Amino acid sequence: MKLPTRVKIVDVGPRDGLQNEKQPVSAEAKIGLVQRLQEAGLREIEVTSFVSPKWVPQMADNAEVMHGIQRQGGVRYSVLTPNLKGFEAAIAAPRDEWPDEIVVFGAASEAFSQKNINCSIAESIERFAPVVEAARAKGIAVRGAMSCTVGCPYEGDIAPEKVGYLAGLMKGIGVQRVDVADTIGVGTPGKVQRAIEATLAHYGIDAISGHFHDTYGQALSNTLASLELGVWNFQSSVAGLGGCPYAKGATGNVATEDVVYLLHGMGIETGIDLDKLIDAGVYISEVLGREPHSRVSKAIRTKRCG
């Protein structure tokens, strides 16, 4: 079995990780986190979300954050834009503050789609068509986040055919690459591989990334299962930021530190300095007043103390 020799990671901590935090996190702290992530070698960072502050107050400082980050060459900065209004807000700033990529989203579960945005999967993707068209016309890349690809809090197991259906809809509106996301962290390796295989009917392996939550402790196993299929793009969150709203007290996004340790241990290059990454996780965790949700971080920091 030939595994990828190099992996690229999108750190989603500043956006997906922080958006559900109850306590306000300052723009300065978010900018500081982005700075530390890129200094650690991250080449893709999901920075913020251009959504209504009524729904996601934590992201109300989106323009301030995009203005404040010190961009580095070779780093791709992405933002979530759920509608045309959000996209227009994302490009209202000067050109050098625009995102390099926008993210749109859709669920592989009809029940999840209906309960969260009151429309069918097909209707939800159709709503994104003008957003995708507008972004690509401006030379901005488009990524599609496919949620609930292996399990749903309302429907239970999700058939691979539903994942393929969603991927086909996203391809149809011009989404360039997609994330196969286990939103509630119930997936196991075989289920994740089937979801990826269904996506491969519409996208090449280079345009597919894995996004795994660690609610049931399966995220690293699912990462390895994805690598076995040739997937070399992954999303994770520094310090394991981002809880799972459907499993009280459970961890959400897998920690970037843990994924990087796994990859480096397998001889797979990431371009990331693990020590600097751990320090970035400590930085934002101190802002939040808690310990990083990363076993690797804890182990290495304990070792540092002798």
Side-chain angles (χ1 to χ4, degrees), residues 152-175:
C152 166
Y154 311 113
E155 284 185 31
D157 287 350
I158 297 296
E161 293 77 18
K162 292 185 176 181
V163 181
Y165 171 66
L166 175 59
L169 291 175
M170 287 203 166
K171 186 78 171 180
I173 64 167
V175 171

Side-chain angles (χ1 to χ4, degrees), residues 1-2 7 18-19 26 32 51-52 62 92 96 99 112 122 136 142 160 168 187 192 201 210 251 296:
M1 181 198 325
K2 191 167 172 20
V7 157
L18 292 177
Q19 69 174 6
S26 71
V51 296
S52 167
N62 42 38
D96 60 358
F112 190 90
R136 296 195 60 177
V142 181
V192 164
T251 54
V296 166

Side-chain angles (χ1 to χ4, degrees), residues 76-139:
R76 174 179 277 197
Y77 304 92
S78 59
V79 304
L80 188 80
T81 57
N83 49 42
L84 210 47
K85 186 177 180 182
F87 174 71
E88 287 165 354
I91 62 167
R95 181 68 181 86
D96 60 358
E97 294 179 19
W98 288 9
D100 301 303
E101 180 179 64
I102 63 156
V103 183
V104 296
F105 55 88
S109 157
E110 284 290 356
F112 190 90
S113 187
Q114 289 287 355
K115 283 186 179 286
N116 280 270
I117 49 178
N118 297 313
C119 65
S120 69
I121 294 171
E123 287 168 341
S124 73
I125 300 305
E126 199 54 41
R127 287 180 186 178
F128 282 123
V131 183
V132 175
E133 183 181 4
R136 296 195 60 177
K138 296 284 188 184

Side-chain angles (χ1 to χ4, degrees), residues 134-156:
R136 296 195 60 177
K138 296 284 188 184
I140 297 173
V142 181
R143 174 159 56 90
M146 303 197 302
S147 61
C148 296
T149 59
V150 290
C152 166
Y154 311 113
E155 284 185 31

